[in-house]
Amino acid sequence: MTLVAGLGNIGKEYENTRHNVGFMLIDSMLQDGGYIDVSSAKFQGELYKKGSLLLLKPSTYMNASGKSLKAVNDFYKPDHIIVVHDELDIAFGAIRFKNGGSSGGHNGIKSIDSLIGNNYDRVRIGIGRGDKGVINYVLSDFDSNQIKQLPDILLHAKNAIFALVSSKDIAAVSSKFTLKA
């Protein structure tokens, strides 16, 4: 079983923000249909299942994402976890992959690492750095030019995730799907 968790913040005010690109990707995957809602209060998020694939949108807010992942991990015991998140240190439009490693200052990743460790694959979607300060930048909406590019970026990331679910080979997926801005 594979768990794909897209990180973001709940609430209408955060819906189109850079920090919610993980949620956007999960929503894109859900549009393919066939997923059953298996959400429960104990999972602290929206959880969907299709075959041996679980899709999670934690409702704990970004900085406590680990609580939701731990609850799902403890219950379903997936053998593969993929976390999709925004990455300030990567230019907008770029996609990179990694297994484990440091959180790079990302509070959602720090939370997950503290509760389940860091032995999971990461799909890092670049949002670049703005001039508004980190918090204001990640919690602001994509600009109009970025919004036009976002569907193609999300489609590329979605295809990469399906390849990663099938192969579980982060190096192979990285060499085929890494996207430069």
Side-chain angles (χ1 to χ4, degrees):
M1 179 166 286
T2 298
L3 168 61
V4 179
L7 303 189
N9 285 311
I10 58 170
K12 196 80 169 152
E13 68 272 26
Y14 299 112
E15 197 170 275
N16 297 310
T17 66
R18 292 174 174 90
H19 226 18
N20 270 32
V21 75
F23 276 14
M24 292 173 192
L25 184 56
I26 296 297
D27 289 340
S28 174
M29 294 176 77
L30 289 169
Q31 288 176 359
D32 294 343
Y35 291 91
I36 298 165
D37 187 341
V38 292
S39 302
S40 167
K42 67 182 168 197
F43 298 137
Q44 299 179 63
E46 295 176 25
L47 184 65
Y48 303 90
K49 186 175 189 288
K50 181 179 184 179
S52 63
L53 182 61
L54 295 166
L55 303 180
L56 175 65
K57 290 170 57 176
S59 61
T60 55
Y61 290 100
M62 180 67 77
N63 295 353
S65 298
K67 291 179 181 180
S68 180
L69 265 81
K70 181 173 177 16
V72 173
N73 187 50
D74 289 351
F75 186 83
Y76 281 99
K77 301 183 181 357
D79 60 348
H80 187 204
I81 297 174
I82 302 167
V83 176
V84 183
H85 64 90
D86 61 299
E87 182 68 58
L88 277 168
D89 294 325
I90 300 174
F92 173 80
I95 300 174
R96 294 196 188 145
F97 306 85
K98 88 189 265 188
N99 179 274
S102 124
S103 68
H106 192 291
N107 289 328
I109 298 299
K110 283 182 190 176
S111 172
I112 295 166
D113 291 354
S114 72
L115 293 171
I116 68 167
N118 70 354
N119 187 24
Y120 55 88
D121 292 333
R122 291 167 48 190
V123 177
R124 300 157 48 206
I125 300 176
I127 61 168
R129 281 198 180 264
D131 56 3
K132 300 178 180 181
V134 171
I135 293 171
N136 289 333
Y137 182 70
V138 300
L139 295 179
S140 65
D141 289 353
F142 288 101
D143 67 37
S144 59
N145 185 42
Q146 291 171 334
I147 288 170
K148 291 176 190 169
Q149 298 174 57
L150 209 47
D152 290 336
I153 294 164
L154 293 173
L155 178 60
H156 187 86
K158 181 168 77 168
N159 290 334
I161 287 172
F162 284 128
L164 189 52
V165 167
S166 295
S167 73
K168 297 182 183 174
D169 184 345
I170 191 85
V173 169
S174 180
S175 71
K176 183 175 181 181
F177 287 95
T178 292
L179 191 62
K180 298 191 188 304

